[in-house]
Structures are given as structure tokens and as C-alpha cells.
Amino acid sequence: MRTATGSARQFEVNSTRLIDELHALAKFTSIEQPETGTSVTRVVFSDDDLRARSWLKQLATDAGLVVLEDAVGNTFFRWVGSEPDFTAVATGSHIDAIPHAGMYDGTVGVLGGLEAIRSLKQSGFRPRRSIELVLLTSEEPTRFGIGCLGSRLMSGSLEPEDADRLHGAQRGKEAETLAQVREAGGFRGVLSSVRLKQGHYHAWVELHIEQGPLLEREQIPIGIVTAIAAPASYRFTIEGLGGHAGGLLMPDRRDALCAAAEIIRSIEKDALATKAIDTVATVGTCDVYPGAVNSVPSRVTLQLDVRDIDPARREGVMLAVRRDIDAISRRRDVKVEETLVNADEPAICSEHIVQVIDDACREYGIVPKHMVSRAYHDSLFMARIAPIAMIFIPCRGGVSHRPDEYASPDEIANGTRVLAATLAKLAME
């Protein structure tokens, strides 16, 4: 790899070990593998998740790191610096995976973070501030219907009592509360103890695959995130009039699904109308009742995700959507009920950390792309307790959450080297 001269220290990583560990972690899944790619299902607190956690803790122990866990399973692997009372520099991500996902989402940040620390140790570097790798619990909403559970609790963005009452089920099993499953997994104690104070970390840096096409398309090996878009989630319930598909005449129909189809089209229209590349809106679920081919739908439930780095522009989309829904409901004689499920604020990354990452890239001969993350990550909530930034690496085709998700060994090694150099610089401040 081409390098540049400069004062910053360069660190090499054991990319073979890192890739082998990524493949080993991907085996903590019980689903059948496709013909191409690697399919991973690792729902939080499942047997696969708990076994993967134990394996990771052993790797960290072997690396000489101090291991601690909190009541929701956030796990902390600390390399104690020469000034242990100083606030630490932290990195990390998640290892839980939605059903039939790929093997790189989150895991590159966790195992890449571990490899970055090992490379620093093996180089003889001695940090002033402690460096901490954090495995965050349940970034994916698969089990409990809310994403970034561990970082929300850590940052005070979710009330502990509300969290413990969350219900979630694995396929074929009865739904249980978070309180039940975390205690069954060995994570005991009151959730209020998970909360960290603002300023707990000197800096937070997360390494992640881009989950988008820009870096690959522009042939840029590293992206530096300057802002993270935040989603607002809504549920719309459309009530119409059902009946027999043959007996209910067309002029008399109040078809809830036809109304829902118009609403979906209006959401797309209103998001595009902003003409902003950072505005995205997705209707990801559509539940139809009664769901029979010979029955006119009487009720439909839609779930909408709309996100932007500009909260005012995001709300502008919703105002336009509400106007359209009002017109559709009057024209089609249906009733539409809107429920706000969740709304988060976007995060702006630290200019200082962004510059440190940029400097590290250039020491390795890389000219990075400064960019926005439209996917949200645990870093969105870590920003409430520490200055943050993120390092993106390309993923093939921008694909994620699928078995064919892929990042090359060279790209992963690039990101890990830059992460190591960034942690080293921040740890000496």
C-alpha cells in the first residue's frame, strides 16, 4: 500500500488473523447456508449470541484486556493506560445480526477494534489514556422492536423501566421481557446502572462498513462520517370496509389496501420533493387484514421510517405526508390513525476527531471522503455522552443485511490501520 511521509506513527495489523476471526464469528449461527455468501442470524441473547460473546471475551482476555459487563450485556474490554484516571478513548460496535444477514455489519467494528488494540500493543505503543473496546447490546431491533438498545440505555435515551418491560420473541418461542431474557443470559442488576455520564469517554470512534454504494462507486477506500441521520418511525393504521370479494360492489368499496397503496406512493413523492440526497423514507411493512384473496381488506397497518440529518426537513416531509393522508382518507372514506413509534435526533461528529482520522488516512496515503451516514448506528447515541466520529470502509455493491454482504480483506485492513492510528493519537491527548 502506498504510504506518505509524516510525523504520525504507522501501525500494521494482522489482517489474516482478523479475517479468520470474522469467519469464525460468522459460524455462531444455526441457519442453513446459501450457495453463495455467508448467512448469519444472531438475535440478541439467543444461544448463538451468548456463545459468540463468550468466544469474544476469551479473545480479549488472551490479548491482556480487562473485561467488564453491565446489566444489559454491554461488554467492555479495557487496555489500561499510563494515566488510568483520565477518561478513556473508546471504539466498538455490535455483533447481533438480523435474520439472514451478512457477516460484516457491526462485526468489523468489534473485531477490527480488537485487532487495532492488539496491533498497538505489539508495536510497543503505550497509551496515556486507557483504550476501551465496547461490545454494544442489540443494535438491531429484531428481538425487542427497538434498535441500539445497549447504547440507548448507556446514554440515557431510554428509561430503564420501559426497557425491562419490552417484549421480544425468537421464532418458535413464547415472547419474554427484556428483564427475563437478560437475567437468563447471566446479565443481572438494575438497568439504571447502565447509564454513563456525559463526558464518560474522551472520544468514541466506530469502524463500520458503509452499507451504501458511494465509496465503492467513487473508488475511495475510507469514508469519514461527519453526521449521522436519525430516523423517525411511524405506524399508520388504515380502517376501511371489508367484505366478500364477489359481493361487495366496486362503487361501494372502502378498500383499506388501495388507500394504503396511495399513502405509500405519497410518502415516496414527498421524500423526493425535498431534492435532498440525505432525505430517505421507507415503508418497510404492510400488514393486511384479513389477508384472504377473496376478501376486501378492511384494515392495513403500515410502518414508516423517515430519516434525515436535518430534523426540520424530516418534519417537513411528515407534514406533507399528513396533508396527503387527509386528502386520501376523505376521498376513499377511510379512517387513518397515526402513531409515533420513535423519533431520534441526528448526531454531528466532532470536528477534532474527524481531523484526527483524516490525518491518519493521509499518513497511509489515503485521501478519504467526508460523508453522511444515512444508516444509523450506536454512535448516534454515544454522541450524547462523548465526542464521536465514524470510519467507513466500502462494501461490495453497497449491499448489507444480506448474505452477499462483503468487504474485502484489504478494505478491512485499511480501516483497522486507520482506526489504530486514530486511537493512538487520541489516547495521547
Side-chain angles (χ1 to χ4, degrees):
M1 178 173 141
R2 185 170 60 89
T3 61
T5 59
S7 59
R9 190 168 175 180
Q10 294 185 4
F11 302 94
E12 285 304 317
V13 301
N14 187 334
S15 59
T16 300
R17 174 172 60 187
L18 175 54
I19 300 304
D20 286 347
E21 288 172 351
L22 283 164
H23 282 282
L25 179 55
K27 292 179 181 178
F28 290 99
T29 185
S30 54
I31 63 172
E32 186 176 344
Q33 292 302 305
E35 291 184 5
T36 60
T38 300
S39 184
V40 178
T41 298
R42 193 162 46 242
V43 178
V44 67
F45 299 136
S46 64
D47 290 342
D48 289 326
D49 180 54
L50 295 175
R51 290 190 301 112
R53 288 167 176 266
S54 296
W55 172 80
L56 182 61
K57 284 188 284 188
Q58 187 59 57
L59 289 184
T61 300
D62 293 344
L65 306 184
V66 178
V67 181
L68 294 173
E69 295 171 323
D70 68 16
V72 80
N74 293 320
T75 307
F76 308 85
F77 310 101
R78 178 166 288 216
W79 179 18
V80 179
S82 61
E83 299 282 358
D85 293 334
F86 284 17
T87 52
V89 173
T91 187
S93 197
H94 66 99
I95 63 168
D96 63 312
I98 68 168
H100 306 286
M103 60 174 277
Y104 300 96
D105 176 17
T107 59
V108 166
V110 175
L111 289 173
L114 177 60
E115 182 56 36
I117 291 173
R118 288 187 299 209
S119 73
L120 294 177
K121 293 185 75 165
Q122 290 165 5
S123 75
F125 174 79
R126 178 72 167 129
R128 185 185 186 199
R129 296 177 183 272
S130 298
I131 299 178
E132 189 155 84
L133 171 65
V134 186
L135 166 62
L136 291 154
T137 289
S138 193
E139 193 265 358
E140 304 291 1
T142 309
R143 185 159 193 174
F144 295 105
I146 184 170
C148 300
L149 184 58
S151 56
R152 285 180 191 269
L153 285 165
M154 195 182 290
S155 63
S157 305
L158 176 64
E159 290 298 323
E161 297 79 8
D162 295 338
D164 253 346
R165 288 193 293 265
L166 291 169
H167 278 74
Q170 296 186 77
R171 184 172 295 178
K173 295 185 178 181
E174 186 177 344
E176 297 175 292
T177 65
L178 172 62
Q180 291 172 316
V181 295
R182 69 181 178 86
E183 289 177 11
F187 305 110
R188 299 178 175 86
V190 294
L191 284 187
S192 58
S193 65
V194 174
R195 174 75 183 272
L196 300 179
K197 295 180 181 179
Q198 187 174 11
H200 179 81
Y201 289 119
H202 176 68
W204 167 270
V205 184
E206 182 175 2
L207 172 64
H208 209 281
I209 61 171
E210 181 193 353
Q211 297 182 294
L214 298 181
L215 293 176
E216 181 187 54
R217 187 176 294 165
E218 298 175 27
Q219 297 185 327
I220 298 173
I222 296 289
I224 304 176
V225 175
T226 57
I228 304 172
S233 301
Y234 297 86
R235 183 184 304 113
F236 293 101
T237 303
I238 302 103
E239 297 277 359
L241 175 68
H244 193 286
L248 189 56
L249 300 179
M250 296 301 289
D252 300 330
R253 293 193 178 190
R254 294 158 50 200
D255 189 318
L257 183 55
C258 288
E262 282 199 49
I263 291 170
I264 293 171
R265 288 291 303 273
S266 78
I267 289 168
E268 179 187 46
K269 170 182 68 69
D270 294 332
L272 287 169
T274 69
K275 301 187 185 303
I277 193 68
D278 295 322
T279 306
V280 289
T282 305
V283 176
T285 67
C286 179
D287 295 324
V288 181
Y289 179 86
V293 68
N294 61 345
S295 182
V296 177
S298 62
R299 185 176 70 246
V300 173
T301 302
L302 305 176
Q303 289 194 91
L304 166 66
D305 175 305
V306 55
R307 58 184 73 190
D308 204 314
I309 60 168
D310 183 343
R313 191 166 57 209
R314 184 180 70 183
E315 182 55 28
V317 171
M318 289 308 303
L319 289 173
V321 167
R322 292 182 188 110
R323 286 194 296 268
D324 289 345
I325 287 176
D326 183 61
I328 292 165
S329 61
R330 283 188 281 106
R331 186 174 66 254
R332 287 192 169 271
D333 194 16
V334 298
K335 180 182 177 182
V336 181
E337 179 182 343
E338 174 189 328
T339 302
L340 174 64
V341 178
N342 184 70
D344 295 308
E345 291 298 308
I348 304 301
C349 295
S350 160
E351 291 183 6
H352 171 62
I353 301 175
V354 167
Q355 188 59 56
V356 171
I357 300 170
D358 190 286
D359 291 343
C361 287
R362 293 173 192 277
E363 289 297 329
Y364 285 105
I366 296 169
V367 179
K369 177 181 178 67
H370 289 218
M371 60 193 303
V372 166
S373 172
R374 277 169 287 277
Y376 80 105
H377 304 276
D378 284 303
S379 292
L380 179 71
F381 299 98
M382 297 304 291
R384 302 181 186 186
I385 60 172
I388 66 134
M390 295 186 69
I391 300 168
F392 274 177
I393 61 171
C395 54
R396 185 174 58 197
V399 167
S400 186
H401 284 191
R402 288 178 7 194
D404 56 338
E405 174 183 275
Y406 179 77
S408 75
D410 285 346
E411 290 159 347
I412 294 169
N414 278 339
T416 305
R417 288 187 194 98
V418 170
L419 176 62
T422 299
L423 295 176
K425 176 66 166 61
L426 294 169
M428 296 307 291
E429 293 180 343

